[in-house]
Amino acid sequence: MENNDVVPHPVTFGGSASEYFRIWIVNLLLSVCTLGIYSAWAKVRSRRYFLGNTILAGSGFDYHGDPIKILKGRLIMAGLLVLYGFAGRISPIGGGIAAVLFLAIFPWLLVRAAMFNLGNTSYRGLRFGFQKDYKGSYAVFFKGIAITIVTLGLGFAYARFMDMRFRISRSRFGKTPFVFSGTATEVFGIYAKASGIVALALILCGILIGIGGTLGSSNSEFDLRSVGAMVGMLTIYPSGLIAMAMFNSRLFNYKTKSTTLGPIRFQSTLRMRDLSGLYITNLLAIAFTLGLALPWVLVRMHRYRVSRTTVLATPADFDAFASGSTENSGAVADAAADFWDIDLGL
Amino acid sequence: MRVHGTAFDGVSSQRFEAELESIGDACVLTLADRCFRYARNDVRASRRVGRLGWLFELPDGKRFESAEDFSDAAASTIVAGASGRGIQALESNWRWALIGTATLATLLLLTYFVFLPGLARVLAPVVPTNVLTIVSAQTAKVIDQGYLVGESKLKVAQSLRVSTALEQLKSAVPQLAFDLRVRQGGALGANALSLPDGTIYLTDEAVQVLENHNELYAVLLHEAGHIEQRHAVQGIVTGAGLSLMLFTLFGGVDLTALPLIMLSTTYSHENEFAADKFAAKILLQDGLKPELLADALSRLDGSAAKSKTTTPAFLSSHPGTSERQRRLRAM
């Protein structure tokens, strides 16, 4: 094989549910026994397990988060949440002020969390990173809210598009920035389809309740009104799942297709039917095992996503990245922001 | 001790075949025909997770990975105190996973049935009275604005029945200060409810159904039971505990609303029984029968059934009336 041919490189996941189950249960047990303190170490081990077993072009990823910082961050966040809870109980004004404050710092938190998350993720000895662009984050956030309000919600898809573009284009690997070239039109299409499915389900539900209401009466022993309402409500859940599967698969494919890193391109082929099946079986498995199936669910979701993602590059491309400025702030605030596990979808 | 693996220089993403060797107090990394020498104490070995290989982080940002499966002892010759074992040993053993699951299940059950309600019972009496007043004032506002419509429109005879029952309550439970408010029930129908600071709401509809003042007294005693034992405060403690438990268990997965409601019902059912028991005890002291409360419950239920659909017991804050009556009649 020539070294300068672009070939699809698969991403593989070498972990297994049975192995992760044991890591998960030990994490959980130690977290419970230490009243949550160990959960910071648990998080690092889980991350390292998933990233380390995710292999691209012969190398795995790694996570370097410092558990002590994560723990301090979590304590700060827990304290704030308790304060928020009290403020809300004592007076609605206090709760309102706390909510507004949270909204006001959210764009800042988002940047700090991304810096912590990506800054602590590495591949081939180089760190990922996120640009410290607070101004951009605030602009995207408040523009998004304004557009959504002015268009009575129709512009929400555009707000999401701006958010996606911001998050991806401020990310980097080494010193090479990710470039996002997606268009808003496609995002609108995805939102329209998902809303369509939900709207259809609601109409169907309404019709079923209506039929029940017309045919049934309170005098008969077997009340068709409640049957109509039950069947109607039952159509809502599966169609919600299908809409979610449609939405998540299309959006993920769109994001990977629209992202480039230097000469490297990405491609993913998640499918609605696969995801719907996964979601339904996940829910059933978790419900019937009282949560014990959670590690299995996490592993199969990750494996599915990874197995349908390919990286288009020449073998030489992988060697050509250089390290950037590692402004590893190491601040506890970053770890605190990371409390929300803000997902960057990368 | 010499280990074979791959290395990255931390400057580029290029991958090198490499070897790491311990020589006396030093570590030598050989990569692309160049040797780098480090003091043994400056090299860090990361803790292993699952079957992932050994990883050594070198002080100049280089990184050495090895898929070779060598022992802790061998790793220690490269880095003092290097250990992948410990936690990893627990994680790689099925026996520990099973013991862990069993321990966890026991701990969770104990927390749910013993620790959490116990904590609530210990904390409830300690909460200062002015906190109760603040919390209650908020709830009272919501109730007055939303659920209960308008001033009471009771007839004189009915009002008299209420004041008789209230006098009975005051002399039976002198240690608490009550503030009885009679309102039109609206959507709540025939009902009574209490706030932790001693406020009791009673609806016109309830007074109309409870024709015997002793039955009215029995219902007020039940509410006094909630106030005396500070069930509302206990509910805040158990609710917070349950949320924390569910968050620790299922963290990122958002399934928490329904399980939280279902799990809370156990506590609120227990509180209803406890308030019934409180009322029954005083009724017996007064020479009255606990059945009075059982009968009152039937009447309240009977009037509620007309307006409301029934909620299954496992989702409702109150246990089934028949179960409460069975227990009351047995007292």
Side-chain angles (χ1 to χ4, degrees):
Chain A
M1 182 167 59
E2 287 289 317
N3 234 25
N4 47 16
D5 282 348
V6 172
V7 282
H9 293 263
V11 189
T12 56
F13 182 65
S16 74
S18 72
E19 192 177 33
Y20 182 60
F21 174 81
R22 286 169 287 169
I23 293 170
W24 177 80
I25 198 88
V26 170
N27 277 344
L28 206 52
L29 183 65
L30 292 178
S31 295
V32 169
C33 289
T34 57
L35 298 173
I37 291 172
Y38 186 77
S39 70
W41 280 261
K43 182 205 165 104
V44 173
R45 290 186 76 75
S46 279
R47 274 269 162 107
R48 287 198 60 207
Y49 183 78
F50 276 98
L51 286 171
N53 279 305
T54 304
I55 309 287
L56 167 64
S59 300
F61 293 76
D62 201 358
Y63 181 71
H64 309 265
D66 177 359
I68 301 276
K69 270 176 218 144
I70 295 175
L71 179 65
K72 284 184 188 159
R74 288 186 169 194
L75 288 176
I76 291 173
M77 278 305 154
L80 288 180
L81 281 181
V82 168
L83 275 183
Y84 172 68
F86 270 109
R89 258 179 205 288
I90 287 165
S91 93
I93 299 170
I97 290 173
V100 167
L101 272 180
F102 176 73
L103 217 62
I105 61 165
F106 185 77
W108 178 84
L109 278 177
L110 194 134
V111 172
R112 301 302 293 196
M115 284 170 64
F116 185 78
N117 247 330
L118 287 173
N120 279 311
T121 305
S122 73
Y123 175 66
R124 292 184 162 221
L126 297 189
R127 298 283 179 115
F128 288 83
F130 194 83
Q131 196 186 324
K132 203 178 189 173
D133 181 6
Y134 297 130
K135 215 173 131 192
S137 184
Y138 274 94
V140 163
F141 186 67
F142 287 109
K143 257 191 227 163
I145 291 181
I147 289 173
T148 309
I149 292 173
V150 168
T151 57
L152 301 174
L154 285 177
F156 183 66
Y158 191 74
R160 298 301 303 149
F161 164 74
M162 288 196 303
D163 182 62
M164 244 180 286
R165 187 175 58 185
F166 174 75
R167 292 187 195 207
I168 293 175
S169 60
R170 296 303 182 274
S171 305
R172 62 171 188 267
F173 173 58
K175 65 174 183 187
T176 314
F178 283 88
V179 174
F180 184 75
S181 58
T183 62
T185 333
E186 256 185 284
V187 182
F188 270 107
I190 296 168
Y191 269 89
K193 266 188 203 151
S195 323
I197 297 179
V198 173
L200 271 179
L202 283 174
I203 292 170
L204 186 65
C205 169
I207 291 174
L208 285 168
I209 293 175
I211 293 174
T214 346
L215 296 180
S217 76
S218 57
N219 298 327
S220 66
E221 196 132 300
F222 181 70
D223 194 347
L224 269 176
R225 287 183 306 179
S226 51
V227 177
M230 284 280 269
V231 177
M233 293 309 284
L234 281 179
T235 57
I236 295 283
Y237 288 100
S239 41
L241 274 182
I242 290 169
M244 206 162 83
M246 201 290 294
F247 181 78
N248 286 344
S249 56
R250 295 286 156 80
L251 204 66
F252 188 81
N253 295 345
Y254 161 80
K255 271 199 271 190
T256 43
K257 188 184 71 182
S258 313
T259 303
T260 50
L261 176 66
I264 293 182
R265 286 178 297 127
F266 306 89
Q267 192 175 47
S268 72
T269 52
L270 302 196
R271 291 188 303 194
M272 176 174 90
R273 59 193 135 130
D274 295 342
L275 273 189
S276 320
L278 284 168
Y279 287 160
I280 291 168
T281 43
N282 285 349
L283 269 179
L284 291 176
I286 287 181
F288 281 106
T289 58
L290 299 174
L292 281 179
L294 189 67
W296 175 71
V297 163
L298 293 175
V299 163
R300 73 198 287 242
M301 288 308 288
H302 184 69
R303 173 174 294 138
Y304 175 71
R305 226 174 280 134
V306 153
S307 71
R308 294 217 143 244
T309 303
T310 44
V311 177
L312 305 167
T314 69
D317 286 341
F318 289 106
D319 293 336
F321 291 97
S323 70
S325 61
T326 41
E327 38 174 288
N328 209 345
S329 65
V332 171
D334 299 19
D338 189 49
F339 181 82
W340 270 282
D341 262 336
I342 298 169
D343 187 14
L344 287 148
L346 280 170
Chain B
M1 168 82 189
R2 179 199 290 246
V3 191
H4 190 76
T6 53
F8 299 100
D9 57 14
V11 182
S12 77
S13 59
Q14 209 178 335
R15 182 170 49 205
F16 301 94
E17 296 286 303
E19 274 177 358
L20 191 65
E21 191 177 6
S22 60
I23 302 168
D25 252 359
C27 267
V28 176
L29 177 75
T30 316
L31 134 176
D33 297 329
R34 292 179 61 196
C35 289
F36 300 89
R37 201 180 169 86
Y38 308 97
R40 224 160 69 115
N41 290 336
D42 293 341
V43 181
R44 283 183 49 216
S46 73
R47 295 195 169 276
R48 298 180 66 188
V49 185
R51 282 167 304 176
L52 290 173
W54 281 96
L55 164 66
F56 297 93
E57 284 174 297
L58 304 159
D60 57 359
K62 290 194 181 57
R63 174 187 165 95
F64 176 81
E65 298 173 357
S66 176
E68 283 179 23
D69 192 21
F70 48 87
S71 67
D72 279 10
S76 298
T77 64
I78 297 173
V79 181
S83 166
R85 294 288 159 194
I87 297 283
Q88 197 214 7
L90 290 183
E91 288 170 350
S92 52
N93 191 328
W94 271 109
R95 193 172 356 131
W96 282 108
L98 284 177
I99 293 172
T101 314
T103 317
L104 198 62
T106 317
L107 266 177
L108 289 179
L109 289 175
L110 272 177
T111 308
Y112 182 56
F113 287 110
V114 183
F115 299 151
L116 205 48
L119 183 70
R121 272 195 297 276
V122 171
L123 284 183
V126 195
V127 175
T129 330
N130 57 345
V131 173
L132 297 186
T133 320
I134 296 170
V135 173
S136 304
Q138 272 310 314
T139 320
K141 220 172 174 181
V142 174
I143 290 173
D144 279 332
Q145 285 166 355
Y147 291 107
L148 297 174
V149 280
E151 289 298 306
S152 164
K153 287 188 179 140
L154 288 181
K155 297 196 183 83
V156 181
Q158 290 168 330
S159 294
L160 213 59
R161 208 157 67 226
V162 175
S163 27
T164 314
L166 181 60
E167 287 314 311
Q168 278 176 294
L169 174 71
K170 279 179 177 167
S171 60
V173 195
Q175 70 271 30
L176 292 176
F178 297 103
D179 174 10
L180 182 66
R181 301 177 185 176
V182 188
R183 299 277 192 276
Q184 279 186 60
L188 282 183
N191 220 324
L193 49 100
S194 58
L195 301 180
D197 68 345
T199 310
I200 298 179
Y201 281 94
L202 189 64
T203 66
D204 283 4
E205 290 85 339
V207 181
Q208 281 152 11
V209 189
L210 303 172
E211 287 162 12
N212 177 336
H213 71 87
N214 277 332
E215 285 182 6
L216 206 50
Y217 170 51
V219 169
L220 292 183
L221 276 176
H222 170 91
E223 296 306 325
H226 284 312
I227 296 165
E228 159 80 31
Q229 295 167 6
R230 296 194 166 181
H231 286 158
V233 184
Q234 291 193 23
I236 295 175
V237 176
T238 50
L242 279 180
S243 313
L244 190 70
M245 220 165 92
L246 288 172
F247 182 81
T248 317
L249 286 180
F250 301 113
V253 187
D254 191 19
L255 309 151
T256 44
L258 192 61
L260 185 64
I261 295 170
M262 285 166 65
L263 289 170
S264 309
T265 55
T266 308
Y267 300 137
S268 60
H269 287 194
E270 280 311 313
N271 289 347
E272 293 307 320
F273 290 132
D276 284 351
K277 207 170 164 186
F278 176 88
K281 208 174 112 196
I282 294 175
L283 287 171
L284 283 170
Q285 281 169 7
D286 291 349
L288 297 167
K289 287 182 174 168
E291 265 113 330
L292 278 170
L293 183 54
D295 296 341
L297 290 177
S298 315
R299 286 187 215 282
L300 292 176
D301 254 18
S303 103
K306 277 183 241 159
S307 55
K308 277 186 269 176
T309 50
T310 46
T311 317
F314 70 94
L315 283 178
S316 161
S317 65
H318 283 55
T321 303
S322 52
E323 171 64 13
R324 289 172 70 185
Q325 288 171 330
R326 193 185 61 73
R327 294 196 185 196
L328 281 166
R329 297 210 162 97
M331 281 175 197

